[in-house]
Amino acid sequence: MHEILKQKHTGILIPLFSMFSKNDFGCGDVSSLIEWAEFAKEAGFDIIQILPINEMPPQTNCPYTALTAFAIDPIYISIKDIENISPQILKKIKSSDFLNTIKEFKKKKYIDYDGIKTEKFKILWEQYNYFHKNFILTHSKEAIDFENYCDKNLWWLRDYAIFRRLKDIYSFSTWTQWPDGFKNRQKEVIDSFEKENLFEINFFKYIQWEVDKQFKKAREKLKEYNIKLFGDLPFMVNQESADVWSRQQDFRLDLESGAPPDAFSKEGQRWGIPAPNWQAQVANNFEWWRMKVRKFEEIYDIFRIDHMVGFFRTWVIPHNRSLKPDFDILDPVQQEERGRLFLKTITSSTKMYAIAEDLGVIPDYVRKVLKETKVAGYKIMRWEKNKENFYIHPSDYPAISVATTSTHDTEAMSSWWKNIDKSERTLFYTMLTENKKQEPPKKYIEIKDLVNEALLNSNSIFVIMTISDIIGTNDRINTPGISSKENWSYRIKTEWKKFYQKNERDFEKIKKLVEKRKNEKVNIDN
């Protein structure tokens, strides 16, 4: 049994991009994470959950559609904290002109991902040239450290850096239309290209080295505070990713992944990402996924497996419109076997603890396998009902589970409470108060404390809270099914100390309940 299951834990979901700090560029970065770790410590939390941090393509703001499963998005690098930073760059980022540019980014209603990355790439290119001249060409200790990093990470870094250089050369056009030598990865063509473009290719390696060092420092700070970092590994990557290009055998380019029709989507969902080639991935013992967890266990203590049901059965949509979408495996026994094999393989190959996103229409065998492998699934308070259609109190949730009120894809509790009908409010309020006769309040703010208390009295080993539901606002991170600049743009408007002071009443109440949870015994069999 994993060590983490021996006691109860309480965490806070704050995407890294949401973490406001004085020196960020309009999007939270690694230095913001270090600052907000102080917030988590002050509030008593021992877990911070963030969303995926993989590099996104241009004109994309969804972290679940990544350019790579391995490289971290340069938007998260803290420029001021780059080691051996150029004096000219330090002077530049303190100038009034530059500070005005950043001020404009911060004033926007959405996170200007492309604008911020453009500014950071300019600085990073200047810094890379400075580092090359003053450290690499002088054969310094720092140059040796960089070379060692590249050698240690060769198994993913080389393919990624070459791909990124090619993407720049071909103006981010699809790799499926590149010349055959590049598209089909002919060894002599790739080797020759690498030799001719080594300086530019190493630029992308340099960025990853710097951001990697910063995350390691952040993790050291979190460990000092006894806080675990809970990360998110998406189900898939963009077709225009280094992974699909470099591991074409692991993906089905003739099929698209998605979700079947349900109560929320009559047509089902098309995700714009290729389907896994499960036959190949099973044959290589899920090598791509084992590589992913190997990479991110350097940063995370806990990882979320996105779209857990997809590993048991994947809804695939043929590009050939004459063929109908369907599950890739139709036999439930075979579906269960593949999901079990995946979970056992991945959980045995990492020190991190796995949490499964098991939301939506989920066959019974999925939770059966989660229970077998001691992988926690989710319990969303507003969705947990028994056969009689009554809400289940969190004190009755299974121990190995994650109890929460909202996720990054749901509306906040305040919005939900406003939109449901009176009968549903009565059912939920009865669960909270055990008083069937009492009229439920119309405003969520009047039951907020009851909800938070019920959540923190959960039997679940893991409780993850959201900022919106703690303080009772309508802020949400993402609205699925729509493309909007406002998605993935939720930002806390102040530094953590001011934010804590403004909402001190709520956080002090939470803090007392969190402290109580720490001392509660865990019964895994329940």
Side-chain angles (χ1 to χ4, degrees):
M1 185 175 73
H2 199 284
E3 187 74 19
I4 203 168
L5 298 176
K6 292 182 180 179
Q7 67 180 79
K8 288 189 172 183
H9 304 275
T10 313
I12 184 81
L13 166 61
I14 317 179
L16 184 52
F17 56 74
S18 301
M19 298 180 189
F20 183 100
S21 59
K22 183 180 178 182
N23 293 301
D24 74 52
F25 281 27
C27 174
D29 57 28
V30 187
S31 67
S32 309
L33 174 59
I34 293 174
E35 290 184 25
W36 281 84
E38 295 181 42
F39 160 81
K41 180 188 176 188
E42 181 64 30
F45 297 117
D46 69 343
I47 292 175
I48 295 176
Q49 181 186 359
I50 61 175
L51 299 183
I53 54 175
N54 306 94
E55 184 176 3
M56 296 181 291
Q59 300 179 336
T60 302
N61 62 352
C62 176
Y64 292 90
T65 308
L67 194 64
T68 162
F70 301 98
I72 295 168
D73 201 308
I75 201 168
Y76 295 122
I77 195 166
S78 172
I79 296 296
K80 70 178 178 61
D81 295 315
I82 291 174
E83 291 185 351
N84 305 299
I85 192 166
S86 152
Q88 287 75 22
I89 290 174
L90 271 180
K91 184 179 179 181
K92 177 182 178 178
I93 62 176
K94 292 177 182 178
S95 70
S96 58
D97 284 349
F98 189 80
L99 291 174
N100 283 333
T101 299
I102 300 306
K103 190 176 179 181
E104 290 303 309
F105 283 140
K106 290 192 170 188
K107 280 166 60 177
K108 292 186 178 184
K109 290 183 179 180
Y110 59 90
I111 296 174
D112 187 350
Y113 286 95
D114 285 347
I116 296 167
K117 278 199 267 193
T118 296
E119 288 298 326
K120 287 201 172 182
F121 269 116
K122 287 178 188 174
I123 294 170
L124 289 167
W125 179 250
E126 183 181 339
Q127 169 62 24
Y128 171 63
N129 278 271
Y130 170 81
F131 182 81
H132 186 267
K133 178 182 177 182
N134 292 280
F135 294 91
I136 291 180
L137 296 182
T138 60
H139 306 290
S140 66
K141 176 188 175 299
E142 289 81 3
I144 295 169
D145 289 343
F146 174 52
E147 186 178 336
N148 288 340
Y149 169 81
C150 294
D151 289 343
K152 182 184 175 185
N153 291 274
L154 181 68
W155 50 279
W156 69 271
L157 188 60
R158 178 178 183 260
D159 282 334
Y160 158 73
I162 292 172
F163 178 81
R164 276 298 277 111
R165 175 59 181 158
L166 282 165
K167 272 291 185 183
D168 277 354
I169 287 174
Y170 289 105
S171 303
F172 270 83
S173 64
T174 173
W175 62 264
T176 61
Q177 294 177 5
W178 290 350
D180 284 347
F182 294 137
K183 181 175 76 173
N184 300 322
R185 292 174 51 81
Q186 294 172 11
K187 186 178 185 304
E188 63 277 12
V189 174
I190 297 296
D191 288 349
S192 175
F193 176 80
E194 181 181 32
K195 187 176 181 181
E196 293 169 7
N197 291 266
L198 191 60
F199 183 74
E200 291 84 359
I201 288 169
N202 280 346
F203 168 58
F204 296 105
K205 296 180 183 180
Y206 173 75
I207 293 173
Q208 291 304 308
W209 179 52
E210 288 293 348
V211 77
D212 179 76
K213 287 186 290 182
Q214 290 188 4
F215 266 104
K216 283 179 178 172
K217 286 181 179 177
R219 193 176 188 188
E220 287 172 14
K221 181 58 69 174
L222 288 167
K223 282 185 177 179
E224 182 185 320
Y225 291 161
N226 197 28
I227 294 171
K228 299 184 186 303
L229 190 58
F230 176 9
D232 195 321
L233 299 188
F235 176 64
M236 278 292 292
V237 285
N238 197 303
Q239 178 172 309
E240 293 305 311
S241 65
D243 307 58
V244 177
W245 172 71
S246 63
R247 301 181 63 86
Q248 294 174 35
Q249 72 281 2
D250 278 342
F251 304 94
R252 291 286 303 272
L253 302 187
D254 60 328
L255 299 173
E256 184 178 334
S257 296
D262 58 22
F264 301 100
S265 174
K266 291 181 181 180
E267 303 296 323
Q269 297 176 33
R270 302 180 73 101
W271 292 342
I273 54 177
N277 182 348
W278 285 123
Q279 187 175 1
Q281 292 201 31
V282 169
N284 64 32
N285 201 26
F286 306 103
E287 182 181 52
W288 181 60
W289 264 89
R290 286 186 289 111
M291 289 168 67
K292 284 163 69 173
V293 296
R294 173 185 171 188
K295 169 70 169 68
F296 280 94
E297 71 179 4
E298 296 176 358
I299 297 174
Y300 303 143
D301 303 286
I302 307 166
F303 71 106
R304 175 183 178 273
I305 303 176
D306 176 45
H307 189 50
M308 186 72 248
V309 70
F311 297 93
F312 292 82
R313 62 183 194 190
T314 306
W315 184 257
V316 294
I317 306 158
H319 288 173
N320 183 344
R321 298 282 177 152
S322 66
L323 302 174
K324 291 184 178 180
D326 207 341
F327 291 114
D328 64 329
I329 300 179
L330 298 179
D331 179 16
V333 174
Q334 293 179 353
Q335 292 173 353
E336 181 178 337
E337 286 175 354
R338 188 176 74 192
R340 180 182 287 108
L341 178 62
F342 171 80
L343 265 181
K344 285 189 172 181
T345 301
I346 297 309
T347 55
S348 65
S349 65
T350 180
K351 296 176 288 186
M352 294 185 290
Y353 179 73
I355 286 175
E357 185 272 292
D358 59 342
L359 305 173
V361 180
I362 306 295
D364 290 340
Y365 59 67
V366 173
R367 295 192 174 112
K368 171 189 167 187
V369 172
L370 293 183
K371 188 173 182 180
E372 282 177 25
T373 52
K374 292 185 168 53
V375 171
Y378 274 79
K379 297 294 174 186
I380 314 294
M381 277 180 75
R382 68 182 94 166
W383 294 347
E384 292 303 314
K385 289 186 174 183
N386 58 25
K387 291 179 181 178
E388 289 74 38
N389 206 36
F390 292 114
Y391 285 99
I392 300 170
H393 195 278
S395 60
D396 293 322
Y397 294 167
I400 302 181
S401 65
V402 180
T404 187
T405 48
S406 302
T407 74
H408 63 265
D409 278 335
T410 63
E411 59 190 345
M413 282 293 288
S414 180
S415 300
W416 174 76
W417 187 255
K418 180 182 178 181
N419 293 330
I420 59 174
D421 59 36
K422 185 179 176 182
S423 61
E424 202 66 27
R425 281 200 203 108
T426 301
L427 282 172
F428 192 80
Y429 193 61
T430 299
M431 178 271 289
L432 289 176
T433 63
E434 298 181 358
N435 187 339
K436 296 179 181 179
K437 295 180 180 179
Q438 193 172 344
E439 189 84 3
K442 290 183 179 180
K443 294 183 178 179
Y444 180 72
I445 202 77
E446 296 179 54
I447 69 160
K448 173 174 63 67
D449 290 346
L450 285 174
V451 173
N452 290 337
E453 185 175 352
L455 181 67
L456 288 165
N457 283 327
S458 170
N459 186 53
S460 302
I461 287 176
F462 303 98
V463 164
I464 301 294
M465 308 190 78
T466 67
I467 292 290
S468 300
D469 292 346
I470 289 174
I471 64 178
T473 64
N474 294 319
D475 297 311
R476 71 181 294 169
I477 296 166
N478 178 50
T479 303
I482 68 166
S483 179
S484 167
K485 288 181 177 180
E486 277 69 40
N487 276 353
W488 317 108
S489 279
Y490 166 61
R491 293 209 74 205
I492 299 162
K493 301 295 191 293
T494 59
E495 295 172 63
W496 81 263
K497 286 184 180 178
K498 288 182 180 178
F499 181 74
Y500 192 96
Q501 288 166 4
K502 182 181 177 182
N503 301 284
E504 190 167 8
R505 173 196 167 276
D506 290 318
F507 288 118
E508 286 301 312
K509 280 191 171 186
I510 296 295
K511 190 173 183 177
K512 289 175 184 176
L513 292 166
V514 170
E515 193 60 38
K516 177 175 170 283
R517 264 182 65 80
K518 288 179 182 176
N519 300 316
E520 291 173 358
K521 290 184 179 180
V522 171
N523 182 4
I524 296 295
D525 298 325
N526 186 6

